[in-house]
Amino acid sequence: MDSPNPRSRPGRIESTPTEIPEELFDLAPLASHVCVLTGAGMSAESGIPTFRDPTHGLWENYNPEDLVSVQGWQADPHLVWAWHLWFQRLCASCEPNAGHRALGRWARLANTSAAPKIDIVTQNIDDLHERGGSEVLAHLHGDISTLRCADCGLVTDKHALAPTNPASFPAEDAPRIPPPRCTTCGGYIRHSVTWFGEALPTEAIDRAMTSAMTCDLMIVIGTSGSVYPAAGLPRLAADRGVPVVEINPRDTELTASMDVVWREGAAVALPALVAVLIDHHR
Ligand code: APR
């Protein structure tokens, strides 16, 4: 994962909160293939904090270099394992919000009518899209509930490991916990997520890029657009003249390059949008 490279595009349409921007109202029913890129803000209303919120973002209280980087793992695997167990438990305890469920309804509609194909590409390592009824095309940064050996790469049956039993997850301020050992090579077990300094899972980024390069509408929800290569995906669509829409309560690194900006939270905006689309396709 790397850092930002925003660009500017004049003439975007900006909405006021709660109102569906007129441009989106016109564009969305015509789309046949929508790429939806989501980030931490998508799950914020489910109770999972974002990373970069100035008051309660996770990186306000924790140093990502210590916890989600290759160097952090090498320096202190016990700290990294304990933090990921805490985050895994948090994700497991949260429920999909109205935004996740609306995307699920939209995707189901696509299976049964002339509604568009919806590709969900997420940076989130939770499974709230899936529990909200969507199939995820690409988990760009991995999946917190999958474990693998840090040395031999063997994917481990998550249920076989006592420390991943929710009952034994640590509290938020848990001290360091030694990761379990791989039964094949003896290496440390880690969560199968992408840390700073690591490449994204090849299949996931390939699928995401194909989607961004073939969609006819892109919707970017709840990401600050500060981590690449994910933040570069909207540009693949925009460079082909495909409209790109941002749903986010605040300005982001990507806002200047958007065609339509909807200043709203995901759990309010998406049910409103999908209700209109369901009506349209009825
Ligand atoms: N609805 C939509 N967006 C929201 C909401 C909401 N209810 N609440 C907050 N947001 C927005 C914020 O305004 C911000 O732009 O979500 C965004 C979250 O940004 P980040 O915390 O930077 O999260 P994200 O973009 O997903 O981070 C990318 O960084 O640390 C890594 O691997 C981690 O996948 C993550 C990556």
Side-chain angles (χ1 to χ4, degrees):
M1 293 193 287
D2 300 309
S3 39
N5 177 23
R7 80 200 168 105
S8 191
R9 244 169 127 199
R12 68 168 192 270
I13 313 291
E14 209 159 316
S15 79
T16 53
T18 66
E19 148 209 348
I20 300 181
E22 209 172 301
E23 279 263 305
L24 181 58
F25 195 87
D26 294 340
L27 284 169
L30 300 178
S32 62
H33 180 188
V34 184
C35 178
V36 178
L37 172 66
T38 68
M42 181 74 226
S43 299
E45 287 152 287
S46 290
I48 302 176
T50 64
F51 296 99
R52 293 175 185 81
D53 183 280
T55 53
H56 49 267
L58 286 169
W59 298 159
E60 287 300 305
N61 301 311
Y62 301 103
N63 182 358
E65 290 291 312
D66 295 339
L67 298 173
V68 293
S69 78
V70 174
Q71 301 91 303
W73 171 255
Q74 284 162 352
D76 195 344
H78 296 200
L79 178 74
V80 172
W81 173 254
W83 188 83
H84 281 78
L85 279 184
W86 165 73
F87 194 74
Q88 184 182 4
R89 181 179 64 173
L90 174 67
C91 293
S93 70
C94 290
E95 295 298 326
N97 63 51
H100 294 108
R101 290 195 297 270
L103 284 177
R105 280 199 299 283
W106 197 10
R108 281 196 295 281
L109 191 67
N111 296 335
T112 56
S113 73
K117 172 177 186 268
I118 314 291
D119 290 338
I120 296 188
V121 173
T122 189
Q123 297 166 86
N124 298 344
I125 56 178
D126 63 54
D127 64 351
L128 296 181
H129 279 304
E130 287 91 340
R131 287 199 272 137
S134 301
E135 211 174 290
V136 171
L137 179 76
H139 269 282
L140 293 174
H141 297 164
D143 156 19
I144 190 74
S145 68
T146 302
L147 303 172
R148 68 170 192 260
C149 174
D151 289 350
C152 73
L154 187 78
V155 174
T156 309
D157 175 357
K158 52 191 166 199
H159 303 299
L161 286 165
T164 62
N165 173 348
S168 63
F169 283 177
E172 183 176 351
D173 57 356
R176 294 164 171 76
I177 298 173
R181 294 281 185 179
C182 174
T183 49
T184 304
C185 77
Y188 274 145
I189 298 293
R190 58 166 281 183
H191 290 81
S192 203
V193 296
T194 308
W195 291 328
F196 289 105
E198 291 186 310
L200 270 58
T202 312
E203 275 186 25
I205 187 66
D206 285 353
R207 283 197 294 263
M209 287 175 71
T210 302
S211 176
M213 288 190 293
T214 53
C215 66
D216 55 14
L217 176 66
M218 183 145 188
I219 305 183
V220 181
I221 308 165
T223 180
S224 59
S226 51
V227 175
Y228 282 72
L233 293 169
R235 186 170 189 157
L236 295 179
D239 281 352
R240 294 182 297 111
V242 166
V244 185
V245 177
E246 176 173 75
I247 299 179
N248 195 311
R250 280 181 289 280
D251 265 0
T252 73
E253 304 276 354
L254 300 173
T255 299
S257 65
M258 292 288 149
D259 297 289
V260 182
V261 174
W262 192 355
R263 285 276 157 265
E264 189 53 271
V268 172
L270 290 168
L273 175 64
V274 172
V276 165
L277 293 169
I278 287 177
D279 243 16
H280 174 89
H281 291 292
R282 205 168 263 151

